[in-house]
Amino acid sequence: MKLFPRSRVGRRAAYALMGAAVVAGAVAIPAQAQDPTETVRSEVTGGDGKNYWVENNLTPEAKKPAEGGKKKEYMVVWAGDENAADTAVPDVKKLPGSVADPIDKVRNAGPGPDFMAVIDATKGSPDYGKVVNTATVGPLVENEPHHMQYSWRKGDKIYAGGLFSAATYVFDVSALPQLKLSGISLPSQTLCGSVPDAYWVLKDRTAYGTYMGGPVAPGPCRYTHGEVRTGNGFAGSPGSVVRFGEDGENKVEAPAATETPEDPTQCLNMPSLGNPTCANPHGIQVREDLNTMVTSDYAEPRTIILDPVKNPSPYLRRPTVRTWDISDKNHPKVKAVSYLPTGPRSNGKDPLRNENRAAMETTVTNRPGHKGAFAQTMQGGAIFYTPDITVKDPVWKEVFDLGTAAPQLGAGGENGGPSANGGWLQTSPDDKTLYHATIGRKAGTLGPDDKGTAGGVIALDIDKLVNSPEAACSIDTQPEITAGGAEGDCPTLKSTVGINPDKTGAGPHWGALDNLEHGPDGFLHQTDQPKRLATADYFVARTGLDGDHRVCVVDIAGDGKLSLDQDFKDEDTGDTCVSFNRQKWPHGDFGNAKPHSMLFVAADEDIKD
């Protein structure tokens, strides 16, 4: 890795000033006076022999010491540049970029750098909510920054995926607010998988990552340990799971597909495969103490998120969850493919909205003695649970329908489960609460009379369920769709908070719990009682679920109640939540950006174990 610190020369503004000075016969004002932002670049050599970098753009606020002896906490947000490539086909004619347009609009229509935004997340700080650094990546553009790992602890690297570029970036955040690039994995290093989605960091700091799409080239692909599966190409099927080293090295690529065909009535592939498969892993979580990993299959991505088509077959959205044996971490093996059950509102007429359709996320329990896991479906709008992920064939039951929560989130709310567009799902460290972010359904999705539903975050009390030997809860009757389960161990709605409650289909897709808290010594410490979480209102623009590009903080009270943090404000507008729709960034005037995922982090030296 190479580090290149230097003071910024205010590139765009400085060049314009110098040009004007030459014409006027005057001396240009020094660039530093125009732009106090400092840049620091780190580089690594990729597998193709080319240089890849992250360039920090540190504002004066980034250099300010913490006040009152309180160490600084940050939120890092993996964000993409918004440009013409995000536009749905019917809207292309509205794009800026003609010769008559102002230069800023023309620039914003073209691709700019993707970046990691570093936001001051220190409660009580005068700079709370300010973007103090934008660490841009290059030379790749149009990565479509997507997910990182679900949580972070001191010493972890951050693993971050590019949905479209099929690249995995590894960032060193030990010296925040500055980042360094530790490594990068390119598509040539993960030939049996594409479209990286999410990551789980192991205790040894390596990470597993899900690659939702098929092999880079169609045809047979040989994995690390000699297994062979035949795929239908980039962003198709089947996907894989990759174990990465801290420098981005591919330690192992394992097949998510089984050797035998999966259910052809549930698992459509386009083009079709001789061995049909639903193996498109999206969510991923791990219990190292149980030698078990769980992944959830979302969709064959090419027709949904890379090149969306109108009304794709519902059978391209997956109803499956996979459990893996990771007793040999360099040889993970699928041990079960579980088909989530359909629920009481499934009627066979609209399989896209069956409760089990599009298994996007999964989350494990954490405490010794608990062996359960949850899964949720994006189109199905339901949450499922299995009490034991270590058995040969885990039994999954529906335990919550989002129709129960929808009326409390805001606008619309009728028939709230179908296409609820749920995303982030996470158990609390103490296994008492399940948090879930949902975008909601746009009005008209189910027909002209559909009023849609608003989105937000819900908190479910799962204490009885995870401690129940029988795990009897099962949503299997019509009244339970909106009233919750009839069994005594079913999750109950603890709290909700609407994000954009006056709009339908405009809630958050992703979230992260803050597992750090300040102690009396002013240092940050790990906690299993998070007092806040963050959300981002963005999915993937090409799908039509673009969102308003805001990052919000939700406070968690001692009794579990959720409320929007009114002090986390945008530095430009003063409005609640930080908007990524702005013209100016520390790295330049590149316009709107798309925040997808985030983590609460701090410099290593500011955290005490």
Side-chain angles (χ1 to χ4, degrees), residues 172-408:
D172 181 339
V173 292
S174 60
L176 279 174
Q178 180 180 318
L179 286 77
K180 299 176 184 177
L181 189 61
S182 295
I184 186 171
S185 173
L186 302 170
S188 57
Q189 294 160 260
T190 55
L191 291 174
C192 292
S194 57
V195 192
D197 191 86
Y199 304 85
W200 185 272
V201 180
L202 301 170
K203 292 178 181 178
D204 66 1
R205 313 296 185 187
T206 64
Y208 286 126
T210 51
Y211 274 56
M212 185 166 44
V216 174
C221 195
R222 185 175 298 277
Y223 296 78
T224 303
H225 292 284
E227 307 100 327
V228 176
R229 304 287 189 271
T230 297
N232 57 14
F234 191 94
S237 298
S240 65
V241 167
V242 182
R243 187 182 184 194
F244 291 106
E246 293 183 82
D247 59 357
E249 173 196 4
N250 178 351
K251 289 180 170 294
V252 63
E253 187 169 16
T258 56
E259 291 185 273
T260 55
E262 297 173 26
D263 187 348
T265 67
Q266 297 292 322
C267 304
L268 178 69
N269 303 115
M270 296 178 61
S272 62
L273 293 168
N275 279 1
T277 181
C278 280
N280 301 107
H282 184 283
I284 177 172
Q285 296 213 357
V286 172
R287 283 287 299 269
E288 287 191 71
D289 59 328
L290 301 179
N291 289 319
T292 302
M293 176 168 66
V294 186
T295 61
S296 48
D297 297 315
Y298 169 53
E300 191 170 87
R302 66 159 61 96
T303 58
I304 295 171
I305 59 175
L306 286 186
D307 186 18
V309 299
K310 187 176 181 180
N311 300 323
S313 169
Y315 298 106
L316 291 170
R317 314 283 179 103
R318 309 309 191 193
T320 46
V321 177
R322 291 164 202 267
T323 47
W324 301 64
D325 178 358
I326 58 167
S327 52
D328 179 352
K329 291 185 174 55
N330 267 339
H331 197 176
K333 300 176 184 178
V334 174
K335 62 181 182 180
V337 179
S338 303
Y339 292 81
L340 300 175
T342 56
R345 57 179 162 79
S346 298
N347 55 22
K349 296 180 181 179
D350 188 6
L352 179 61
R353 275 93 191 187
N354 286 354
E355 287 93 327
N356 65 349
R357 192 59 59 185
M360 173 168 276
E361 280 301 309
T362 184
T363 185
V364 295
T365 50
N366 305 291
R367 294 297 193 185
H370 294 163
K371 298 182 180 180
F374 294 86
Q376 64 80 214
T377 50
M378 185 176 184
Q379 264 60 56
I383 295 174
F384 300 80
Y385 176 72
T386 185
D388 193 344
I389 56 175
T390 67
V391 299
K392 182 179 178 181
D393 292 302
V395 176
W396 295 80
K397 296 179 182 179
E398 182 186 346
V399 296
F400 192 81
D401 190 301
L402 285 179
T404 301
Q408 299 190 31

Side-chain angles (χ1 to χ4, degrees), residues 468-485:
S468 170
E470 300 85 11
C473 181
S474 179
I475 305 297
D476 47 22
T477 66
Q478 288 285 329
E480 292 175 297
I481 294 172
T482 55

